[in-house]
Amino acid sequence: MERVIRFGVSLEPELLRRFDELIEKKGYINRSEAIRDLIRKELVESTVHEKKGKVIGTLTIVYDHEAGDVTHKLLHLQHSRHSAVRSTMHIHLDEHNCLEVLVVEGDVEDVKQIAENLKALKGVKYGELSLFTLSV
Ligand code: NI
């Protein structure tokens, strides 16, 4: 295991009580693990927000495959030379709707750009991008 450093944190009792209540509900075994996750989450969000660094994640979209030429445009965007799309999983939900989970990887700016372009296509009803960085 990587070396760890212990440090003290001062908190108001009420804030600590609410924190303990929350992490127990979430299933954390101790405060250290919960605080580690909170710090990682902030660092990931900072990378994504500052648009600097490499990220990996998923883009989930729901679209009507019969709307215009959405299927063609989706494929075209995913095949473009600088595409950050590494893999996709496609589920036919019903006669019209498709759910697609795209694994995206690359510079955060490129990943966000392609996610926005895909979400903006006519026929795409829902899009949710979730990113992570291994540098934290
Ligand atoms: Ni489909």
Side-chain angles (χ1 to χ4, degrees):
M1 187 182 163
E2 206 179 333
R3 195 172 77 89
V4 295
I5 295 170
R6 296 176 69 90
F7 68 100
V9 178
S10 306
L11 287 179
E12 293 80 3
E14 176 58 13
L15 191 58
L16 183 60
R17 188 193 63 74
R18 290 180 63 189
F19 183 65
D20 283 343
E21 214 177 82
L22 178 75
I23 66 176
E24 195 192 329
K25 221 183 280 176
K26 288 182 177 242
Y28 282 101
I29 50 167
N30 57 48
R31 287 175 185 155
S32 291
E33 194 51 42
I35 290 170
R36 263 181 226 122
D37 277 3
L38 279 175
I39 292 172
R40 283 192 202 102
K41 183 171 178 278
E42 285 301 313
L43 290 170
V44 167
E45 277 175 13
S46 156
T47 301
V48 172
H49 186 71
E50 286 170 20
K51 294 189 173 183
K52 268 188 281 179
K54 300 271 181 200
V55 289
I56 185 155
T58 57
L59 171 66
T60 303
I61 53 173
V62 174
Y63 64 95
D64 180 346
H65 76 274
E66 287 173 325
D69 53 357
V70 64
T71 306
H72 174 76
K73 282 183 174 161
L74 273 172
L75 275 176
H76 182 72
L77 272 173
Q78 292 180 40
H79 278 275
S80 64
R81 199 159 62 87
H82 300 293
S83 173
V85 179
R86 298 284 172 262
S87 178
T88 61
M89 179 172 70
H90 186 106
I91 295 145
H92 311 300
L93 295 176
D94 58 29
E95 257 178 68
H96 303 285
N97 295 297
C98 303
L99 172 90
E100 210 159 282
V101 181
L102 301 90
V103 175
V104 287
E105 184 185 22
D107 286 326
V108 62
E109 209 165 344
D110 298 337
V111 169
K112 284 177 108 172
Q113 185 61 56
I114 195 163
E116 288 309 313
N117 293 346
L118 289 168
K119 287 195 305 192
L121 289 176
K122 190 173 180 286
V124 176
K125 301 169 170 181
Y126 172 83
E128 184 71 38
L129 181 64
S130 173
L131 296 177
F132 182 72
T133 177
L134 284 172
S135 60
V136 296

